[in-house]
């Protein structure tokens, strides 16, 4: 058991998490999140130019025509053009501008979102996260109601949410960096990925806590300390957590590499979140539980 003294190295695990979280918050604060048109409003045009192209050249061509936006290379010869909200006439002018420089311009998609709808989607996304957090705390507190010693049942719910926020902040920090470097945007698909991460990895954290609950009941009259029981519980579940995360990551990596550029941001958010969550469910949630109990004493 000493070989796997996870609780005994709490300062190392929480120190690493603190560095990652502070870095993510700094990236978000300094660079900001590159919000997609789902939240800001605007137009998205996807075209197949029929030949290889340079995204910067396409951007310059549109700028010369009076359209300022962001051009991103897609799969094959596809280009994703993000602009402010366009009228039908302006949309046709954008296509005509591209047709001057490229002989075969195939229009694949045109999406437009107004600023009012964008604000509504942003508000609903925040509400969905808040409601999910409240429901999880209530459920975990109810599930652990019979284990009130030495830690109150509601603390399990709070720490589950802390681990979940850890797993959401880190992907957001990565997206802030990628938004500045590669133009990746945070849209409703990425928000859906973050909610998926929370649901998936909260389950993983609860599994570890549930084993702690069982061991607390079984060893109620033993001489083992609370920290030793929690460490034993983590060691008993670590293989299951790692194996589940690895098998999920293998599937996600295949989708990321071969699934096309339109799905990459969504899948990448899942990959970062699951890696972060596999770490937090083992090295953050349970050590915090023991640390909280020690501070209470």
């Amino acid at each position: 058991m000493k070989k796997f003294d996870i609780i005994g190295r709490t300062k190392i695990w929480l120190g690493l998490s603190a560095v990652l979280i502070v870095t993510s918050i700094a990236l978000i604060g300094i660079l900001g999140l590159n919000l997609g048109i789902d939240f800001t409003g605007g137009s998205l045009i996807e075209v197949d130019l029929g030949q290889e192209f340079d995204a910067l050249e396409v951007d310059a061509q549109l700028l010369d025509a009076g359209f300022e936006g962001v051009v991103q290379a897609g799969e094959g010869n596809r280009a994703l053009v993000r602009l402010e909200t366009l009228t039908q006439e302006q949309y046709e002018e954008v296509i005509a501008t591209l047709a001057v420089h490229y002989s075969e311009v195939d229009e694949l998609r045109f999406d437009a979102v107004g600023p009012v709808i964008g604000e509504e989607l942003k508000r609903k996304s925040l509400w969905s996260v808040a409601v999910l957090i409240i429901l999880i705390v209530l459920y975990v507190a109810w599930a652990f109601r019979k284990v009130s010693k030495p830690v109150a049942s509601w603390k399990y719910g709070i720490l589950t949410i802390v681990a979940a926020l850890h797993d959401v902040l880190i992907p957001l920090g990565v997206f802030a960096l990628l938004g500045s470097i590669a133009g990746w945007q945070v849209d409703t698909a990425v928000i859906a990925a973050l909610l998926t991460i929370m649901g998936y990895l909260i389950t993983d954290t609860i599994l570890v806590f549930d084993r702690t609950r069982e061991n607390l009941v079984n060893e109620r009259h033993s001489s083992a300390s609370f920290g030793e029981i929690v460490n034993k519980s983590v060691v008993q579940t670590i293989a299951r957590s790692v194996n589940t995360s690895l098998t999920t990551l293998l599937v996600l990596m295949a989708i990321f590499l071969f699934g096309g550029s339109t799905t990459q941001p969504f899948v990448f958010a899942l990959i970062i979140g699951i890696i972060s969550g596999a770490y937090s469910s083992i090295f953050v949630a349970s050590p915090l539980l023991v640390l909280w109990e020690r501070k209470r004493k």
Side-chain angles (χ1 to χ4, degrees):
M1 191 69 67
K2 290 183 179 179
K3 183 179 179 181
F4 300 100
D5 187 12
I6 294 172
I7 301 302
R9 298 178 175 85
T10 294
K11 291 183 179 180
I12 298 175
W13 316 132
L14 297 185
L16 178 58
S17 291
V19 170
L20 292 174
I21 290 175
V22 169
T23 303
S24 296
I25 293 175
L27 289 172
I28 295 170
I30 296 172
L31 301 177
L33 294 173
N34 186 16
L35 298 178
I37 65 170
D38 296 343
F39 299 126
T40 61
S43 301
L44 173 64
I45 304 173
E46 183 178 5
V47 292
D48 189 330
L49 299 179
Q51 65 187 70
E52 293 185 359
F53 65 92
D54 187 323
L56 294 178
E57 289 183 3
V58 177
D59 190 39
Q61 293 159 4
L62 292 175
L63 188 60
D64 291 340
F67 299 101
E68 184 176 358
V70 177
V71 179
Q72 183 179 352
E75 185 179 0
N77 298 321
R78 297 183 179 185
L80 295 172
V81 183
R82 293 178 172 85
L83 302 164
E84 60 183 13
T85 304
L86 303 176
T87 64
Q88 182 63 30
E89 292 76 13
Q90 290 173 322
Y91 165 70
E92 293 174 356
E93 187 177 347
V94 170
I95 298 299
T97 300
L98 295 174
V100 170
H101 301 278
Y102 303 95
S103 57
E104 299 179 8
V105 177
D106 186 12
E107 307 168 36
L108 303 176
R109 180 169 50 135
F110 175 49
D111 296 330
V113 178
V116 175
I117 296 177
E119 285 296 323
E120 183 179 354
L121 287 173
K122 188 189 301 183
R123 186 171 61 255
K124 287 183 176 180
S125 297
L126 293 174
W127 270 108
S128 63
V129 173
V131 170
L132 178 63
I133 289 174
I134 293 171
L135 291 176
I136 288 169
V137 171
L138 293 176
Y139 167 74
V140 175
W142 177 83
F144 287 77
R145 67 194 183 282
K146 294 182 180 179
V147 185
S148 58
K149 294 181 180 181
V151 178
S153 61
W154 59 269
K155 292 184 179 180
Y156 290 95
I158 295 297
L159 291 179
T160 301
I161 296 304
V162 169
L165 293 177
H166 170 281
D167 305 333
V168 169
L169 276 174
I170 292 176
L172 284 177
V174 173
F175 265 80
L177 181 62
L178 290 175
S180 176
I181 296 175
W184 279 21
Q185 296 188 330
V186 176
D187 53 16
T188 51
V190 174
I191 297 299
L194 296 179
L195 292 174
T196 303
I197 290 168
M198 290 182 69
Y200 179 90
L201 295 168
I202 282 170
T203 303
D204 200 22
T205 303
I206 290 176
L207 285 174
V208 179
F209 281 166
D210 193 55
R211 181 56 60 91
T212 300
R213 177 181 64 173
E214 293 176 359
N215 288 334
L216 283 172
V217 174
N218 296 334
E219 302 188 26
R220 183 170 296 171
H221 303 292
S222 71
S223 59
S225 67
F226 180 68
E228 290 172 340
I229 294 175
V230 173
N231 191 78
K232 177 181 178 180
S233 304
V234 174
V235 171
Q236 289 174 342
T237 56
I238 190 171
R240 183 197 310 177
S241 298
V242 171
N243 290 336
T244 302
S245 298
L246 283 178
T247 52
T248 306
L249 285 173
L250 288 175
V251 176
L252 291 175
M253 287 299 298
I255 298 174
F256 180 78
L257 294 174
F258 307 110
S261 60
T262 55
T263 61
Q264 282 184 341
F266 173 79
V267 177
F268 190 73
L270 289 175
I271 291 173
I272 298 299
I274 287 177
I275 293 173
S276 171
Y279 179 86
S280 68
S281 63
I282 298 169
F283 300 108
V284 175
S286 292
L288 278 177
L289 185 67
V290 176
L291 187 63
W292 197 346
E293 170 59 15
R294 289 175 181 171
K295 292 294 183 182
R296 184 187 69 84
K297 287 184 177 181

